[in-house]
Amino acid sequence: MEIGTHQIIDGKVILRIRDRICDTPESLLSSPLFLDILKRTVAELERRNSPLLGIFPQTPVRSADLLLLVRTLKFLVKLPGGLVPRVVEGAETFFRDPVLFNDFVEHLYNSWRGMQRLVICDSAGDRFDQRPYRTFNSTVETLTHLVRSTYRETQENITGNHPNIYRQVSAGAEIATIALPKDIHYPELYAARLNAIPVIRQVLIYPPLIFNPPMNKRSGVFERVARNPLEALTLNKNNWLCYPAKVGPLLVMVYFSLRYFELGFTLANLFELAGDEALHQKPDAVFLFGVPEEDFPNLGAGQTIFYDDPAHDLLVAAIPDSPKFGYFGYLKKMILTLHNIKMIKLGKMPFHGALINLAVRGHGRFTVLTLGDTGAGKSEMLEALRTLGSDELEDITIIADDMGSLGMDGQGRVLGYGTETGAFVRLDDLKPGYAFGQIDRTIIMSPAEVNARAVLPVTTYETIMRGFAVDMVLYANNYEAVDAQHAAVERFESPEQALAVFREGAVMSKGTTTTTGLVRSYFANVFGPQQYPEAYDALAQTFFEAFFAQGMFVGQMRTQLGIGGMERSGPEQAAQALLRILKGEDG
């Protein structure tokens, strides 16, 4: 059987499967993919003038010698090393130094494992999506076992020894997907350009995953442009996939270039994957991530752009294929920008903040909304609350970790909703070891860099869509110290006083973007409200007046996260103060 067609882009392997994958070592070693990996590995060794090339009769290594090595390996997987030269003429050259040959095989195996590996099952006629477990089992699991067993049999036949310790490392694909063409209910302009691109129906990932994308910070803002970027584009369906994301109540079709498939599939840890029922509806927004730079339309001052298409009631966003945009934050924040704009149009108030529901032992349940910019300490305060309040909190329900929206029910109560089922959090500001406690579900980005991040599931789609009556609204202030004049949690006396602080949106930058020092942004939210300030200001006025009319606690929380030396104790002080207020001991 064939292993399938493949692409290798920037050290990433993309394997497309339309039937069952090959299931014998001979078919694996005979595949074009194996020969491609072998050639690339040898070329890399030649660039380094590696001593591992000593297994070959000469360098540079000839194509004939590579083919001889392939024939040798096909027999070596079945026969002891001493017998292989008897059946493969010329194979004795590889056995001159069995230790060196064994080291070469080990390096080849590790070169394969060092690549990011994706399997796409895309046979529409076979309806892979109707039997996903069987599909994944007959492809990804088979490939994993096949690669690992071929490697082990080869090494054992070279050395004549069996290891005493076997490690079941990931040797097949890190990510697999069933992706099929789908007729999405688009207007003609959109359908003609997008409906040939496969839409992801199921995803299989093998966490923990560790990615090192080309960028680890985000800069600039998302710019509204006057023309639809899609008009000028023709997309090659073989270079794209679509992740249909349920973002709160909205459907956002996220099209990503396979060059950035590791970022595109990280969305599976952050947003609910839309099912067939949702895909029968017209999408609310379209986002193209990784448009070739030579094709990217010159429509604005920058290249992170969106277009408001009122004629078709759609939002369209685009970001080019460039290393400077190769950061997951661009994907996440543009998606949330599209959500926020749509919410403004629907008369809802989008927020940049964390919304949680707390069950305090003996005092009932409280829904607390904390607004603030990236790095203000929202997630860190929540983790401190989880740790410090373990004896007093019966339950913590995360409704929104980063973005959400506020609406009102028929009785005028303010209700809060979320957007994401996961969290994109800074490793540096979490409790030591926290990410490792969740590592079986985690995707880690740029672990050795500033602004190292983890993406992990934290709640359910049903929870973010339920609608929780809000009890407290706080602004996360990370730059002011707590002292006798500045409480850890301070209450505001009027909508005007509150709006002045919330509207200023001040935060001490924590290195999550390219900004530094104390920065200000409109309502700490450059993701929609800043682009539609008049509409948002009217919404904010209405909702803040409702907060006070309903007797909510509205104030600011000093997390002190931006103050040197307070990165852990600051959020802890804020969490303790919040607990005292909820228990009626303060405020």
Side-chain angles (χ1 to χ4, degrees), residues 294-324:
E294 62 271 18
D295 299 331
F296 197 82
N298 183 20
L299 299 177
Q303 292 182 298
T304 53
I305 60 174
F306 71 90
Y307 172 70
D308 191 338
D309 184 357
H312 298 112
D313 190 26
L314 272 168
L315 295 164
V316 186
I319 292 178
D321 174 358
S322 172
K324 66 183 178 181

Side-chain angles (χ1 to χ4, degrees), residues 229-498:
L230 195 59
E231 291 177 357
L233 297 177
T234 301
L235 304 178
N236 184 339
K237 66 178 182 179
N238 295 321
N239 296 335
W240 292 80
L241 286 177
C242 174
Y243 187 94
K246 294 177 74 173
V247 186
L250 307 181
L251 174 61
V252 179
M253 305 297 284
V254 184
Y255 295 85
F256 59 90
S257 166
L258 288 177
R259 185 180 299 277
Y260 299 102
F261 76 71
E262 75 282 13
L263 301 182
F265 280 100
T266 299
L267 294 172
N269 260 17
L270 197 66
F271 294 109
E272 184 83 356
L273 180 67
D276 286 339
E277 184 177 346
L279 292 179
H280 289 149
Q281 306 165 10
K282 185 179 78 67
D284 297 286
V286 169
F287 176 21
L288 308 174
F289 182 80
V291 176
E293 278 202 291
E294 62 271 18
D295 299 331
F296 197 82
N298 183 20
L299 299 177
Q303 292 182 298
T304 53
I305 60 174
F306 71 90
Y307 172 70
D308 191 338
D309 184 357
H312 298 112
D313 190 26
L314 272 168
L315 295 164
V316 186
I319 292 178
D321 174 358
S322 172
K324 66 183 178 181
F325 299 121
Y327 171 56
F328 185 68
Y330 283 104
L331 261 174
K332 167 188 160 80
K333 292 300 191 183
M334 181 64 91
I335 293 169
L336 293 174
T337 297
L338 299 173
H339 163 272
N340 292 349
I341 294 169
K342 183 67 175 180
M343 288 294 105
I344 292 172
K345 291 172 174 289
L346 294 174
K348 307 292 178 67
M349 179 181 163
F351 60 78
H352 185 191
L355 182 64
I356 56 175
N357 182 265
L358 307 172
V360 183
R361 184 170 288 114
H363 297 278
R365 301 193 75 100
F366 303 89
T367 299
V368 180
L369 171 61
T370 307
L371 276 68
D373 208 345
T374 302
K378 305 180 297 292
S379 298
E380 293 76 15
M381 186 281 297
L382 175 59
E383 291 311 316
L385 196 63
R386 194 191 305 274
T387 302
L388 298 173
S390 58
D391 294 331
E392 300 176 88
L393 294 177
E394 297 174 346
D395 180 53
I396 300 178
T397 300
I398 298 175
I399 307 158
D401 177 75
D402 185 34
M403 294 274 187
S405 64
L406 299 178
M408 293 189 193
D409 65 9
Q411 289 75 46
R413 292 185 310 159
V414 176
L415 302 180
Y417 302 87
T419 54
E420 305 148 283
T421 56
F424 181 49
V425 295
R426 278 172 50 95
L427 288 178
D428 291 348
D429 294 326
L430 290 178
K431 179 184 175 185
Y434 174 79
F436 293 103
Q438 308 289 323
I439 202 162
D440 58 337
R441 304 184 301 159
T442 299
I443 299 173
I444 297 173
M445 302 248 181
S446 305
E449 304 289 336
V450 174
N451 197 36
R453 293 272 183 158
V455 189
L456 67 163
V458 294
T459 189
T460 66
Y461 185 72
E462 291 71 25
T463 298
I464 69 173
M465 289 302 298
R466 174 179 153 186
F468 288 76
V470 179
D471 299 296
M472 294 183 70
V473 180
L474 302 171
Y475 183 79
N477 174 334
N478 76 342
Y479 56 91
E480 288 183 342
V482 173
D483 55 31
Q485 287 74 41
H486 301 87
V489 178
E490 173 190 357
R491 188 167 192 168
F492 295 134
E493 299 300 326
S494 67
E496 292 72 28
Q497 183 188 10

Side-chain angles (χ1 to χ4, degrees), residues 100-127:
L100 188 65
F101 190 19
N102 186 59
D103 288 346
F104 177 88
V105 170
E106 180 74 24
H107 180 80
L108 179 63
Y109 179 61
N110 288 334
S111 294
W112 162 256
R113 291 188 57 245
M115 304 175 88
Q116 291 162 12
R117 309 176 302 277
L118 166 67
V119 167
I120 303 174
C121 306
D122 61 358
S123 177
D126 205 29
R127 296 306 298 170

Side-chain angles (χ1 to χ4, degrees), residues 537-550:
D537 221 51
L539 284 170
Q541 189 70 41
T542 298
F543 276 90
F544 272 78
E545 288 175 358
F547 298 161
F548 282 87
Q550 294 172 28

